[in-house]
Amino acid sequence: MEILQEGLYVVAALDNVLTIDTGLHAVGFEHAHFPHCAYDFTEGWAGDMHPPSRKDFVSLTLTGQGSGNYNNSKQWRRQSCWRKWKRLSRLQRNLILFTVALMLLCGIATYPSVTEHFRGLTVVAKEEGDHALKPVVHEVQPALDKLNRPLVPESPSEKQKRAAHKRGPPGLQNRLQKKGNVSDTQVEKEEGEKPLVNWHVAMIDQATERGTAKEAANKVDVPEVEQEGHSHKEPVDRLEAVRDAFRHAWKGYKEFAWGKDELRPMSKSYGEWFGLGLTLIDALDTMWILNLKKEFEEAKTWVSTELSFNKNVDVNLFESTIRILGGLLSTYHLTGDTLFLDKAKDLGTRLMPAFNTPSKIPYSDVNIGKGTAHPPRWTSDSTVAEVTSIQLEFRELSRLTQDTRYQAAVDEVMQKVHKLEGKQDGLVPMFINTNSGQFTHLGMFTLGARADSYYEYLLKQWIQGGKKETALLEDYLQALEGVKKNLLKKSSPNRLTFVGELAHGRFSPKMDHLVCFLPGTLALGAHHGLPADHMELAKQLMETCYQMYAQMETGLSPEIVHFNMHEGSIGDVDVKLADRHNLLRPETVESLFYLYRFTKDRKYRDWGWEILQNFNKYTKVSTGGYTSINNVRDPEYPSPRDKMESFFLGETLKYFYLLFSDDPELLSLDKYVFNTEAHPLPIWPTAQ
Ligand code: DMJ
């Protein structure tokens, strides 16, 4: 068997007849010929994720049947052919000559389109090279990518047909609408008109309908590449690439972790945290948005038949609120199916004991079966981000259920934090005590872990409520001034703007990847009327977050970087050994989405595309799922951690999809606000 060119293998040579196969279906090929690496040709590297040593040729020596006096000399072959020709009847000879002449004529007629086709291939290859950030390590994958790509771009009408096909079962929308809750905003239908809709369903319906027509024009993100006087459209469908990534992640989850919290893709097993099907719930609205209706229906069936919150289990208030409560609420809004609202109400009610503390600052953990709550075993503190980033969800639950208890509890937390001593220029410390209600560990300030979403939710609550709650806006604006004054610096040698940390007056040039939510939040604020310099800062920080990916050998960001500030530094970024992991986090992709929506600058999409490709290259597990990795600096051995976080499906892939979609009405940022786990919740209608 010989590899002739990408994907073409001569698999037999018997009696002078060559049989050619694409190689993708060559049974047992991968294990027979690359025994050390277990490479799945349709998916990617598996096992220890080492590429095999490169093998371009695998040869087979075959002996043809009846080859007794065969000597393969030119003279022997000429004589044997001539003898066979002479033995044919006149009619047979004429038929053969006629066929050959016909084939020649066809060949001449199709010559221009064939050459066009090959010219096309050259341009695709060139484009890939231009975008390649890093030397290609796994050479087989690009070859397979090309194989899977349509060689001749489809016509717009073909694309349209294909797009229309992919919108999922047509009955589904109506079915879900009919099951939708009967809210006061519902609009009764006349005979023959559209089915019952309520205002939130109407939003996604409009987007979906508009999407069907618009998507055909927009779903293929087609950069034009000029070459030798004519343009060529590179047929990469980025939206479809995100759907593929989701399907692949879902495949692993479904096969090895169905109904469990998290997939462990390397060991083909699962991990439990709360025992509540975390990944499945976190991913519900992503499936809806990506039009993966079959997958959505399967997951919905699980929610309706298997999901129960009546369990003797401790859950983290913040994590279960942003991932599960947020996921259920947004899915309810997108689908109109009251199943999700009922579940959200059940969970929200079971989480309420967390607020039974002396200070009304909630405990971090709740037993949702027993109705008891407690702080972590080692402290009576909660983290500030956790108690101040549950507000969007609880406020929305109150609005939907007309039960004010949920909102009252979380509003009280915000009012208390608003008045607290211990801030510095609007920046908050990282811990708060549930007994005293005071900040603890004073003097430490970060926009990373333990404080990040406090700032995000100041702005987003203000937007959710119709920009009326001025205390929230004041705190947000003041905090940004605090960031500029205390935490914002430039690196050396390239003067990247970054947000560091402060510990008792000492500045540290350390920045978590988590801080990369900030460019998106700043841009969102500017879009909603806050000062234009917020957008300028957003752009600068966006560049920095991108560089945190681009400067790594895998093109994937580490969890934490340290920026160099000394004149004459060689590189801008240092990464400590313990910080080299990547957990498939969303923040940079999230910010790229906001920046692209508001500026329409294509570079943000291209950056996102590079990142998606690197996730595919270094974190995709052949048997299904994606894994977080230990070392973004080692493309030879990124060292898989064997865990797919639920936010990869809930957030990262959703933001990729929204980044590549051209439809600004697909979750319009004038109608929706995303919670910190990427679950869209409506901006309250009274607010508009
Ligand atoms: C998510 O759970 C949320 O985005 C949260 O705000 C921060 N951590 C993860 C993603 O990184």
Side-chain angles (χ1 to χ4, degrees), residues 144-376:
L144 290 170
D145 290 347
K146 276 186 219 157
L147 264 182
N148 294 331
R149 192 179 294 162
L151 295 178
V152 183
E154 291 168 286
S155 71
S157 63
E158 279 168 328
K159 273 178 213 157
Q160 210 154 356
K161 269 187 234 152
R162 199 156 56 82
H165 261 343
K166 284 190 180 140
R167 301 300 297 183
L172 186 61
Q173 291 269 341
N174 291 348
R175 219 167 43 242
L176 292 173
Q177 283 166 11
K178 278 182 200 137
K179 289 191 92 181
N181 80 321
V182 185
S183 79
D184 51 356
T185 48
Q186 225 166 33
V187 182
E188 284 288 331
K189 82 170 182 95
E190 300 271 289
E191 273 287 308
E193 278 182 5
K194 286 192 85 184
L196 275 183
V197 285
N198 53 31
W199 66 269
H200 42 262
V201 178
M203 277 186 195
I204 194 75
D205 269 358
Q206 285 161 18
T208 311
E209 274 166 26
R210 203 178 17 253
T212 313
K214 253 190 165 180
E215 196 181 343
N218 295 334
K219 76 195 277 276
V220 181
D221 185 25
V222 191
E224 295 214 354
V225 182
E226 289 287 337
Q227 202 198 35
E228 288 173 16
H230 62 257
S231 68
H232 163 75
K233 288 191 178 230
E234 190 238 326
V236 175
D237 186 339
R238 292 177 175 180
L239 289 177
E240 198 51 38
V242 181
R243 284 197 190 104
D244 284 346
F246 187 97
R247 284 190 203 101
H248 185 79
W250 194 247
K251 174 183 182 285
Y253 179 74
K254 202 175 152 184
E255 223 165 301
F256 309 120
W258 184 247
K260 308 294 181 189
D261 283 342
E262 287 158 340
L263 169 68
R264 293 168 58 84
M266 308 299 295
S267 53
K268 302 191 182 73
S269 61
Y270 58 82
E272 288 286 49
W273 187 9
F274 307 145
L276 296 174
L278 196 60
T279 295
L280 188 148
I281 301 175
D282 218 358
L284 281 168
D285 57 1
T286 307
M287 288 182 268
W288 185 265
I289 293 161
L290 269 59
N291 282 298
L292 297 170
K293 299 292 168 61
K294 181 176 72 70
E295 291 82 352
F296 177 84
E297 280 296 295
E298 291 164 354
K300 188 185 120 182
T301 304
W302 185 87
V303 171
S304 73
T305 58
E306 305 285 327
L307 178 61
S308 167
F309 295 125
N310 190 11
K311 264 190 162 177
N312 178 9
V313 61
D314 274 356
V315 303
N316 175 284
L317 170 69
F318 164 74
E319 297 291 358
S320 58
T321 298
I322 64 168
R323 302 189 198 208
I324 304 181
L325 183 57
L328 292 168
L329 288 172
S330 73
T331 307
Y332 164 64
H333 279 295
L334 298 178
T335 63
D337 190 330
T338 50
L339 163 69
F340 302 107
L341 180 57
D342 293 344
K343 292 285 180 192
K345 190 176 171 194
D346 185 20
L347 177 62
T349 309
R350 289 170 184 277
L351 290 174
M352 288 302 283
F355 296 91
N356 295 335
T357 68
S359 66
K360 302 289 179 240
I361 300 296
Y363 289 131
S364 60
D365 297 283
V366 192
N367 186 306
I368 52 173
K370 290 188 189 159
T372 54
H374 59 88

